[in-house]
Amino acid sequence: MPVLREIDKKLMAHVIGLSLRNVSSGRGGPFGCVVVKNGEIISEGVNEVTATNDPTAHAEVLAIRRACQKLVRFELTGCDIYSSCEPCPMCTGAIYWARIEKIFFANLAADAANIGFDDSAIYAEMKRPHSQREIPMIQLMREEAQAAFRAWENQPGKVPY
């Protein structure tokens, strides 16, 4: 296990404070997050799902969006995330797409599940074949859709990501 630096503890204490303030505000769940580059906070996010009626408005997703806007780029190489909780499947995906280098977290996913934020059904669903998922996933018109992929593949000057 890596040795925690004093800055890591300070940043996590800040994130925990964000999550506590968010609960007090009544605007969302007990989650906070910051994106950090070279020890400096680039952006912050708190859970705003109920405040914005947006199921994707998790602290990590919002912090990533804001960091990308601030840095004017679509990836966050060289940045770390500090989150008050182990990221959910959606946030973990966003973190990987953003190319974050390290994830620091406080509470476990099991701790979140204990207070009603349980992602275990999502993890289980992802392992099931499309046809056996709770929300049916029905593939159609693949051949027609391949036209967009071929166009992308042949697009000169595209920005790969």
Side-chain angles (χ1 to χ4, degrees):
M1 177 158 223
V3 176
L4 288 179
R5 305 165 299 168
E6 200 55 41
I7 186 71
D8 297 325
K9 294 176 186 176
K10 274 183 150 173
L11 290 164
M12 188 57 72
H14 178 76
V15 165
I16 292 167
L18 288 174
S19 67
L20 284 165
R21 284 190 297 282
N22 202 49
V23 171
S24 296
S25 77
R27 291 187 44 82
F31 304 99
C33 179
V34 294
V35 173
V36 174
K37 185 172 177 87
N38 299 325
E40 177 188 334
I41 294 174
I42 302 300
S43 66
E44 296 182 346
V46 294
N47 181 282
E48 297 180 17
V49 170
T50 57
T52 61
N53 294 313
D54 178 355
T56 69
H58 289 203
E60 296 90 343
V61 169
L62 295 176
I64 287 169
R65 287 177 185 164
R66 291 169 183 153
C68 287
Q69 289 168 351
K70 183 174 182 179
L71 297 175
V72 193
R73 55 189 229 216
F74 61 83
E75 52 82 24
L76 298 171
T77 302
C79 295
D80 298 327
I81 272 196
Y82 291 76
S83 179
S84 63
C85 188
E86 181 179 357
C88 76
M90 176 183 67
C91 294
T92 299
I95 289 165
Y96 274 85
W97 276 110
R99 298 184 186 111
I100 296 289
E101 293 198 6
K102 284 191 208 114
I103 305 167
F104 295 86
F105 64 94
N107 290 308
L108 293 169
D111 300 324
N114 287 337
I115 62 163
F117 296 92
D118 190 354
D119 298 322
S120 60
I122 297 170
Y123 286 110
E125 281 288 295
M126 297 301 290
K127 294 177 185 174
R128 299 173 90 180
H130 294 140
S131 63
Q132 296 176 13
R133 293 185 182 176
E134 190 173 316
I135 298 173
M137 292 186 70
I138 302 148
Q139 183 182 22
L140 51 110
M141 297 182 70
R142 179 174 181 254
E143 289 305 314
E144 293 84 347
Q146 288 288 307
F149 282 11
R150 285 190 295 275
W152 170 259
E153 204 171 33
N154 297 318
Q155 177 71 26
K158 65 185 170 221
V159 178
Y161 59 96

